[in-house]
Amino acid sequence: MSARVLVGVKRVIDYAVKIRVRPDHTGVVTDGVKHSMNPFCEIAVEEAVRLKEKKLVKEIVAVSCGPQQVQETIRTALAMGADRGIHVEVSGKDYDALGPLQVSKIMAALAKKEEADLIILGKQAIDDDCNQTGQMTAALLDWPQGTFASELTLEGGMLKVVREIDGGLETIKIKMPAVVTADLRLNTPRYATLPNIMKAKKKKIANVKPADLGVDVTSRLEVLKVDEPPQRQAGVKVETVEDLVVKLKEAGRI
Amino acid sequence: MAALFKARRALGMVVGHGVRCLTQLAELPELHQMMRQTCRDYAQKELAPIAAQLDKDHMFPAKQVQELGAMGVMAVEVPESLGGAGMDYLAYCLAVEELSRGCASTGVIVSVNNSLYLGPILKFGTEEQKQQWITPFTTGEKVGCFALSEPGNGSDAGAASTLARQEGDEWVLNGTKAWITNCWDASATVVFATTDKSLKHKGISAFLVPMPHPGLSLGKKEDKLGIRASSTANIILEDCRVPLGNMLGERGMGFKIAMQTLDSGRLGIAAQALGIAQAALDCAADYAHKRTAFGAPIGKLQAIQFKLADMALAIESARLLTWKAALLRDAKKPFTKEAAMAKLAASEAATFVSHQAIQVLGGMGYVTDMPAERHYRDARITEIYEGTSEIQRLVIANSILKEYQQ
């Protein structure tokens, strides 16, 4: 199989870090805060590597959009088994305003340029929880999409995707080229081995600008304010079920 | 005139080579950072959650050792051609520190396999010995151990009373070895025995013995204060026969092999001690934020702040010494003095920091609900094995006196 897979990896604030809102309420504190690869992107990379180990895929290209620091995230993907990386340079205000619409335009442009057969992304990023990039990318390319994948099988030129949906599991069959987004139970990502970390150093990361891909990264969104979630208020204890019903009606809940 | 010339040349060497090393002390190269992060992630996700249970059950973490083997951590310095990760000693020290931060027992298991078992074979073994005794021990499937100490001599390594006599095409070993880490879980050992009693310490040789093996039996597992998930016991040799080809290095080279091996092993233990100390600091600093007394988190009190500062200082100082010694070793420069300093500083830091951590936690530090008591118990051995603090001081003093030789 000569398939080429594009995997998007996003650099996000580490899941274990306590998030703090900036004093000017324009965003969250990122300076000096630990960042790592988005957990769903890790799962996406792992799936691509497993496909390559099964010889169903020939080359894995890890892509990330952002400033210099995202190269660390690409290197982690290389250490997990990706073959080469593409760093799409976006920095400063453009990076602060970067969202799914721009990223999906970039991914679509790269997919055409690299002649990709499959794009695997995480279902969403843990910082913005948008859950849009995969879907938008598929739409821009007019490719089928298998989102919230908990199981992925390649059969001929077709993909069988088991999707996690509200009602349970849905199995679909889609033609390649296609976009798949990884859900939690798709796999358990591997730890990079020391030899692979060494090999990652020699793998190439190409630098490219959005303008080179014909993509305008100006945002159509303006963040007005960022606040912490409201402090949880103390509850009220009631004596009887009747009191409870009265209170719920008062609060407009029933 | 000659002295001035020598000094200028020495300066040139320091500036030329030292710059790279000094930068590495300030900020690790990307490769090492990635490696450190991987080991930290593994330790925090896979080791830290089970460390208390492993300690309680005195259980060897076989599954984790295999996973670490697959990651290349059980044979960091071993070249890729023999199945290792092919990285440098600095990388190894970083790995052991991060793993020990999760579980000190796992840290020592990794350290003993790397430094004390694979180390001497890598340095003194023949190509054939390397194939046979190194490659199977890189994957985590098998671990090795190092048998130098005896019931009658620990620090006094030159007085080895285990004997080896040649009988035809075999060596026959007799004697008892004590305090052998990993031995109940090991598949091979490097044993030191006297081949020529009259030559005193120059009459000791090193041997490779598979385990289990006829003539080799294990004593009872010691019930230790700490690092309980790693096994420690006596190895008893009663007419234990091995082929002549199992001698490691030349006859009479044993003491030299042991001392050189321990020089490196020392850094592995320094790294382990750093990991334990760091874990204790993590625990104390976290508690200082959460515990309130006198109307505020105790981290606001100077008494606690001074403790945390002293703890962090002790760890960072020892860490830099450890890194420097590792860098010297990687540059193939003499590192005996620095290694002894690193081990001494790190082990004393571990006992100091874990002691203070319990103090910061108060009553909570004394119970098993918090890991502080385990760090305290784990730290204690670092001042003893692979060269007691007293021996380290002798090594350092010896080095200093040589430098100032009249």
Side-chain angles (χ1 to χ4, degrees):
Chain A
M1 245 254 156
S2 57
R4 176 175 291 135
V5 186
L6 234 58
V7 182
V9 294
K10 187 179 182 186
R11 181 174 182 265
V12 297
I13 294 178
D14 189 82
Y15 76 91
V17 168
K18 186 170 192 289
I19 308 290
R20 257 168 261 281
V21 174
R22 280 212 281 258
D24 61 7
H25 291 269
T26 55
V28 298
V29 177
T30 51
D31 273 341
V33 169
K34 182 171 180 226
H35 284 67
S36 40
M37 191 191 288
N38 181 40
F40 294 106
C41 298
E42 280 183 359
I43 298 175
V45 175
E46 175 65 27
E47 196 61 23
V49 176
R50 287 189 190 190
L51 288 174
K52 186 168 177 214
E53 283 170 349
K54 289 187 205 146
K55 302 218 196 301
L56 296 169
V57 141
K58 196 189 68 178
E59 195 189 29
I60 304 169
V61 185
V63 180
S64 193
C65 307
Q68 186 61 23
Q69 292 95 311
V70 307
Q71 294 220 358
E72 287 166 26
T73 315
I74 300 175
R75 286 238 182 267
T76 307
L78 295 175
M80 283 173 74
D83 296 295
R84 58 185 169 89
I86 298 176
H87 170 200
V88 182
E89 293 167 10
V90 181
S91 49
K93 286 253 169 344
D94 283 339
Y95 179 59
D96 292 337
L98 196 66
L101 184 56
Q102 300 100 310
V103 174
S104 53
K105 285 181 185 171
I106 292 170
M107 289 302 294
L110 280 172
K112 289 197 192 119
K113 183 164 178 269
E114 297 289 333
E115 292 174 335
D117 303 287
L118 179 61
I119 299 177
I120 310 183
L121 303 171
K123 73 169 179 182
Q124 66 196 58
I126 60 171
D127 51 8
D128 55 22
D129 279 338
C130 284
N131 191 342
Q132 296 168 0
T133 308
Q135 292 86 336
M136 286 177 170
T137 308
L140 288 167
L141 287 166
D142 198 24
W143 286 6
Q145 57 184 264
T147 54
F148 309 103
S150 64
E151 210 184 297
L152 183 63
T153 336
L154 242 78
E155 286 163 4
M158 303 284 281
L159 279 166
K160 191 174 90 176
V161 185
V162 177
R163 308 179 56 229
E164 296 206 0
I165 60 173
D166 287 345
L169 298 172
E170 178 194 56
T171 308
I172 60 171
K173 223 174 187 171
I174 54 178
K175 257 199 269 206
M176 277 170 57
V179 176
V180 171
T181 71
D183 207 325
L184 191 64
R185 279 157 282 273
L186 181 58
N187 60 51
T188 307
R190 64 194 60 198
Y191 292 97
T193 66
L194 267 49
N196 279 345
I197 291 174
M198 298 252 289
K199 289 196 188 107
K201 206 173 179 206
K202 302 192 190 109
K203 294 179 182 173
K204 287 201 167 31
I205 300 180
N207 289 310
V208 93
K209 292 196 175 48
D212 300 337
L213 301 168
V215 174
D216 173 17
V217 290
T218 358
S219 177
R220 290 161 169 73
L221 300 173
E222 187 195 334
V223 172
L224 297 175
K225 196 165 181 237
V226 176
D227 273 325
E228 293 205 352
Q231 290 280 26
R232 196 175 162 175
Q233 299 297 323
V236 175
K237 258 179 146 161
V238 293
E239 295 294 305
T240 68
V241 177
E242 286 76 23
D243 287 345
L244 177 62
V245 174
V246 165
K247 279 250 181 297
L248 286 172
K249 279 194 175 152
E250 271 173 25
R253 297 293 192 222
I254 53 170
Chain B
M1 201 60 200
L4 196 66
F5 186 66
K6 236 178 158 180
R8 265 209 297 182
R9 257 219 310 180
L11 187 65
M13 276 174 72
V14 165
V15 169
H17 184 81
V19 174
R20 182 168 60 91
C21 297
L22 282 173
T23 320
Q24 282 182 307
L25 280 179
E27 196 190 272
L28 295 168
E30 197 191 349
L31 195 70
H32 291 76
Q33 283 188 38
M34 285 181 70
M35 206 228 97
R36 193 186 198 191
Q37 192 59 49
T38 299
C39 291
R40 185 174 295 181
D41 288 341
Y42 184 85
Q44 296 312 312
K45 290 193 192 127
E46 311 286 342
L47 295 177
I50 58 168
Q53 198 59 44
L54 289 175
D55 170 74
K56 219 183 225 161
D57 298 340
H58 296 242
M59 192 164 75
F60 182 78
K63 173 166 175 272
Q64 286 70 25
V65 167
Q66 288 214 13
E67 287 171 353
L68 289 168
M71 283 166 70
V73 173
M74 292 306 287
V76 180
E77 225 193 357
V78 172
E80 280 189 72
S81 55
L82 288 168
M87 293 183 86
D88 58 24
Y89 219 65
L90 178 61
Y92 163 66
C93 290
L94 293 167
V96 173
E97 183 187 335
E98 293 302 331
L99 295 175
S100 304
R101 191 177 178 182
C103 171
S105 303
T106 308
V108 78
I109 292 166
V110 171
S111 176
V112 166
N113 196 59
N114 269 281
S115 294
L116 298 187
Y117 174 72
L118 294 172
I121 305 174
L122 204 58
K123 195 160 183 197
F124 298 98
T126 62
E127 280 316 306
E128 214 185 301
Q129 283 173 334
K130 287 180 194 174
Q131 293 288 340
Q132 193 190 344
W133 300 91
I134 290 187
T135 310
F137 292 78
T138 60
T139 61
E141 292 278 337
K142 297 188 178 187
V143 297
C145 62
F146 179 85
L148 175 67
S149 292
E150 297 176 355
N153 57 270
S155 296
D156 191 7
S161 66
T162 301
L163 297 171
R165 65 171 192 279
Q166 191 174 343
E167 254 179 36
D169 57 355
E170 284 179 328
W171 286 107
V172 186
L173 288 88
N174 275 285
T176 310
K177 292 294 185 184
W179 312 118
I180 311 305
T181 304
N182 277 357
C183 71
W184 270 87
D185 310 287
S187 301
T189 178
V190 177
V191 183
F192 295 84
T194 301
T195 35
D196 299 282
K197 210 163 170 89
S198 58
L199 298 173
K200 301 240 177 84
H201 69 267
K202 291 215 170 105
I204 300 174
S205 306
F207 300 89
L208 297 163
V209 184
M211 292 162 77
H213 196 68
L216 187 151
S217 56
L218 300 173
K220 72 162 183 22
K221 260 196 228 189
E222 301 290 352
D223 187 6
K224 306 191 292 289
L225 177 65
I227 56 160
R228 302 217 281 225
S230 88
S231 55
T232 308
N234 286 3
I235 290 181
I236 303 138
L237 302 157
E238 291 165 303
D239 278 352
C240 178
R241 293 168 183 276
V242 292
L244 289 182
N246 282 34
M247 176 174 278
L248 182 65
E250 306 284 310
R251 183 175 180 143
M253 221 187 198
F255 189 76
K256 177 176 148 191
I257 293 176
M259 291 303 109
Q260 287 194 20
T261 303
L262 287 171
D263 266 352
S264 296
R266 219 140 265 182
L267 288 177
I269 297 306
Q272 185 206 18
L274 288 173
I276 298 170
Q278 188 64 51
L281 178 60
D282 293 344
C283 185
D286 188 64
Y287 196 77
H289 271 302
K290 294 186 173 140
R291 170 72 175 174
T292 54
F294 302 101
I298 60 172
K300 296 268 185 223
L301 300 167
Q302 281 191 339
I304 301 295
Q305 288 182 356
F306 287 166
K307 281 190 204 298
L308 294 175
D310 288 337
M311 287 155 82
L313 173 61
I315 298 174
E316 194 62 33
S317 313
R319 186 176 287 136
L320 287 174
L321 266 172
T322 308
W323 288 7
K324 181 175 179 181
L327 287 169
L328 285 170
R329 186 188 182 282
D330 285 334
K332 304 221 188 317
K333 294 219 156 31
F335 69 103
T336 303
K337 178 183 79 171
E338 288 78 4
M341 287 176 151
K343 200 260 184 185
L344 180 59
S347 53
E348 292 192 342
T351 47
F352 168 71
V353 173
S354 54
H355 180 110
Q356 290 302 324
I358 294 188
Q359 200 64 15
V360 170
L361 266 63
M364 279 311 284
Y366 204 64
V367 295
T368 54
D369 302 51
M370 295 291 271
E373 59 82 30
R374 189 181 80 243
H375 299 322
Y376 186 74
R377 289 186 291 105
D378 285 339
R380 194 59 189 86
I381 189 65
T382 61
E383 285 199 53
I384 297 172
Y385 62 11
E386 279 188 59
T388 58
S389 297
E390 290 70 30
I391 291 290
Q392 304 307 336
R393 288 185 162 88
L394 291 180
V395 172
I396 298 167
N398 243 323
S399 200
I400 303 290
L401 287 168
K402 254 198 214 139
E403 285 171 30
Y404 286 84
Q405 193 86 51
Q406 299 298 313

